[in-house]
Amino acid sequence: MVLRLLAVLPFIGILLGVPFVNRVEPLVLGMPLVLAWIVLWVILSAIIMAIVYRFDPVNRTGARSTEEARS
Amino acid sequence: MSSALLIIAAVTLVALWLGVRARRGHDMNLEQWSVGGRSFGTAFVFLLMAGEIYTTFTFLGGSGFAYGKGAAAYYILSYGTLAYILSYWMLPPIWRYAKAHRLVSQPHFLASKYASPSLGVLVAIVDVVALVPYLVLQFKGLGIIVTTASYGAISPTAAIWIGAIVVTAYVTISGVRGSAWNSVMKDTMILAVVIFLGLYLPIHFYGGFSSMFHAIDSAKPGFLTFPAKGSSVTWFQSTVLLTALGFFMWPHTFGSIYTARDERIFRRNAAVLPLYQLILLFVFFVGFAATLKVPGLKGSNIDLSLFHLSLQTFDPWFIGVIGAAGVLTALVPGSMILNAAATLLANDVYRGGVARQAADSTVTQLARVLVPIIALVAVFFTLRGGETIVALLLMGYSFVTQLFPAIVTSLATRNWVTKQGAFAGIVAGVAVVAYTTLTHASIGQWFPSLPEKLKDLNIGLVALALNIVVLVVVSAVTQPRAAGHSHARTL
């Protein structure tokens, strides 16, 4: 449940947060603030989902898939 | 014949050859042709899924939109990320069901879940309608690349025909397997080209990113932030939401879910693929660099900005390299889209709706015949022109996202939604989108007294809201009589 709540954060950050950072200055890593805000949330999403993957019990069970498909 | 064109032609031939080669050693029956026999591992599914999103849209459309519209382009960076988060929970149950029921397509999924063949046919039709603008934008991109690389020797019309013929040939030669290999080549090239252009052009013309953005902000104040009207914050929020929900609703993307070996792949990808979105930044940088250096491109010509800036800056051979990457970004997804549309019509509309007993071989043959026909229809629309690449994709999204409610609710253990509800909801949403697209209407025109903020809402999202309302109401009315606690009111 906590994991799902974590996953909601990027939705809030991007959809609801943007109106509050709709500015050019200050530039962050050379980018307008509003763009940098979105980039930040893209990176945070990856981190959050990595955490979710790591702690989700459903990923601990089950056989490891071994062979790669031959093509 | 310019060296640019030679390089592009060479790469295209390699792509076609890889397509033929990938096909050998496999028996191409219907299931193979459309779903690759379900034996792909993590790396391939990753490439296939990532490869699909890197289309002409990203390359030319993204830079064009940044050039022409400024901040509105930021939506492109946002929706994929949110879609991947959803995918963590949404895709594994779809995969499990598809595997258990040996499904081959998206309409098949809904027809099975709701025990309604006509729902399957409806979904297939909506899918094909949505795919047309998506295919058109690929052809448009190909046309731009071929014309530009020929330094004007090949006319835009001829270029579009050439592009369409190449894509058609490619699809006819191989199915999904060919695409996986070319996806590798395409993604490697596009990554290299886009990162290089995105770094080099701003530094070359402005000295750095900060200076570039400062220069743009001075010359065009407000361009880099969301304006109060038009592509405003409300537009951004509604468009991101629409496209995030619709991301996996595309029939070919949905279909690629079935090719995974293991459902954990989706959960792993959910963490990795958002990072892949960051490549889009480089695409934006090119568009922004072009803003002050390539003046005067308006309307649907904003899609030319990347190439016009490159023509100013590089030698023909490098234009060839850029063009080759661009051709692949149109060829690989374009072929998937064409493949998907043909299979949908042959398997899900013809066999699903009209000729239930048709044999696999008939359906496969029909699909092959439909490929050039659908390509022709797309060429017709491409030649008519007029829309930017991004506008075309958003049009497709408005249609395809209407499938989201029915699909997502069907994943619940006890689905309250009935087949009539699903059917009616989809029809309602699609009708709204079709009407507004054909009449070029917008919310602002229908409800002039609405507050400014709400007028910018993406029409596809409004249609989705109506879709859900209709779905709920109709489902309530059509609940099966055996239901214990009935909230349905008889009317």
Side-chain angles (χ1 to χ4, degrees):
Chain A
M1 198 54 219
V2 177
L3 297 178
R4 290 189 191 211
L5 285 177
L6 263 183
V8 169
L9 290 178
F11 284 86
I12 297 174
I14 292 179
L15 294 176
L16 299 180
V18 158
F20 298 100
V21 290
N22 191 20
R23 281 193 287 283
V24 176
E25 301 288 348
L27 296 187
V28 176
L29 290 175
M31 297 183 285
L33 183 67
V34 57
L35 179 57
W37 173 257
I38 294 172
V39 169
L40 170 71
W41 275 105
V42 170
I43 298 172
L44 284 178
S45 300
I47 295 173
I48 289 173
M49 293 318 290
I51 293 173
V52 168
Y53 183 83
R54 177 78 180 65
F55 287 100
D56 192 346
V58 85
N59 293 319
R60 305 234 179 94
T61 58
R64 263 179 230 146
S65 66
T66 44
E67 350 156 51
E68 279 295 333
R70 282 206 318 131
S71 47
Chain B
M1 176 98 121
S2 72
S3 54
L5 215 49
L6 280 169
I7 293 177
I8 290 175
V11 172
T12 309
L13 285 170
V14 170
L16 283 168
W17 175 73
L18 277 174
V20 174
R21 216 173 140 264
R23 186 192 168 176
R24 268 193 229 130
H26 290 279
D27 213 25
M28 282 306 214
N29 64 30
L30 183 66
E31 201 183 327
Q32 287 278 359
W33 204 65
S34 53
V35 158
R38 267 178 256 279
S39 63
F40 290 177
T42 313
F44 272 138
V45 173
F46 178 97
L47 275 160
L48 222 62
M49 284 172 71
E52 273 159 43
I53 61 173
Y54 280 100
T55 76
T56 306
F57 166 76
T58 324
F59 189 51
L60 296 181
S63 53
F65 216 54
Y67 166 86
K69 310 268 188 179
Y74 304 159
Y75 97 85
I76 302 171
L77 188 55
S78 315
Y79 76 100
T81 308
L82 297 182
Y84 288 125
I85 296 175
L86 285 174
S87 79
Y88 184 97
W89 285 280
M90 195 169 68
L91 300 195
I94 292 174
W95 180 85
R96 282 196 293 271
Y97 187 85
K99 189 148 184 252
H101 293 81
R102 303 204 49 169
L103 303 180
V104 292
S105 70
Q106 180 192 46
H108 203 176
F109 179 88
L110 276 163
S112 174
K113 278 273 189 181
Y114 287 95
S116 166
S118 28
L119 184 61
V121 174
L122 174 69
V123 168
I125 293 173
V126 173
D127 280 336
V128 174
V129 169
L131 285 173
V132 170
Y134 206 172
L135 188 59
V136 167
L137 80 87
Q138 310 299 335
F139 284 174
K140 183 179 181 205
L142 274 169
I144 290 174
I145 293 168
V146 174
T147 312
T148 311
S150 71
Y151 285 83
I154 301 180
S155 75
T157 307
I160 288 169
W161 279 108
I162 292 172
I165 289 167
V166 170
V167 175
T168 307
Y170 182 75
V171 175
T172 312
I173 286 169
S174 65
V176 177
R177 280 216 171 228
S179 298
W181 274 117
N182 276 313
S183 226
V184 177
M185 187 165 68
K186 165 186 89 120
D187 289 333
T188 319
M189 278 189 85
I190 197 73
L191 226 74
V193 166
V194 158
I195 291 174
F196 173 75
L197 289 179
L199 291 175
Y200 181 81
L201 290 171
I203 295 175
H204 175 78
F205 282 107
Y206 300 91
F209 295 100
S210 309
S211 355
M212 175 173 80
F213 284 114
H214 276 139
I216 296 174
D217 199 32
S218 315
K220 302 175 114 182
F223 189 67
L224 297 170
T225 52
F226 295 105
K229 289 206 293 189
S231 317
S232 63
V233 171
T234 325
W235 175 88
F236 171 80
Q237 292 166 325
S238 56
T239 303
V240 168
L241 192 56
L242 174 84
T243 47
L245 297 178
F247 196 85
F248 288 101
M249 298 299 111
W250 290 97
H252 55 295
T253 317
F254 199 90
S256 71
I257 295 172
Y258 302 170
T259 62
R261 297 197 69 194
D262 178 332
E263 65 181 66
R264 296 221 296 188
I265 288 169
F266 304 121
R267 297 196 199 103
R268 273 197 288 266
N269 284 348
V272 180
L273 286 171
L275 292 175
Y276 212 72
Q277 300 293 304
L278 293 176
I279 311 291
L280 287 163
L281 279 175
F282 296 103
V283 172
F284 292 165
F285 294 156
V286 176
F288 285 129
T291 310
L292 299 178
K293 299 297 169 189
V294 180
L297 293 175
K298 296 221 191 311
S300 67
N301 283 331
I302 60 180
D303 298 322
L304 297 165
S305 55
L306 182 144
F307 269 109
H308 277 224
L309 188 61
S310 302
L311 283 171
Q312 275 183 31
T313 323
F314 301 113
D315 289 336
W317 72 269
F318 193 65
I319 301 289
V321 171
I322 301 175
V327 163
L328 292 176
T329 61
L331 184 66
V332 174
S335 66
M336 273 186 185
I337 291 164
L338 194 46
N339 187 354
T343 311
L344 283 165
L345 285 175
N347 191 41
D348 299 289
V349 176
Y350 176 70
R351 176 153 69 175
V354 174
R356 303 264 174 93
Q357 303 307 316
D360 273 356
S361 52
T362 315
V363 172
T364 314
Q365 266 169 25
L366 179 58
R368 276 199 209 279
V369 163
L370 285 170
V371 165
I373 296 175
I374 297 167
L376 220 65
V377 170
V379 169
F380 167 70
F381 283 112
T382 316
L383 291 174
R384 261 186 22 164
E387 301 285 349
T388 64
I389 286 175
V390 171
L392 286 167
L393 186 66
L394 288 176
M395 204 187 292
Y397 262 104
S398 295
F399 284 111
V400 100
T401 308
Q402 304 307 324
L403 303 176
F404 183 82
I407 289 177
V408 154
T409 51
S410 76
L411 298 176
T413 8
R414 282 190 316 158
N415 188 10
W416 180 79
V417 175
T418 61
K419 60 186 176 187
Q420 295 91 337
F423 199 98
I426 293 172
V427 167
V430 169
V432 170
V433 177
Y435 182 72
T436 44
T437 308
L438 289 171
T439 59
H440 294 281
S442 68
I443 304 184
Q445 289 173 326
W446 283 359
F447 303 104
S449 51
L450 267 186
E452 210 48 65
K453 284 204 169 157
L454 293 182
K455 282 194 201 168
D456 293 329
L457 281 176
N458 187 302
I459 192 73
L461 197 69
V462 174
L464 185 68
L466 180 66
N467 178 340
I468 293 172
V469 168
V470 170
L471 177 140
V472 167
V473 168
V474 173
S475 293
V477 167
T478 53
Q479 286 296 304
R481 265 174 281 138
H485 40 90
S486 162
H487 292 282
R489 257 177 259 129
T490 44
L491 292 174

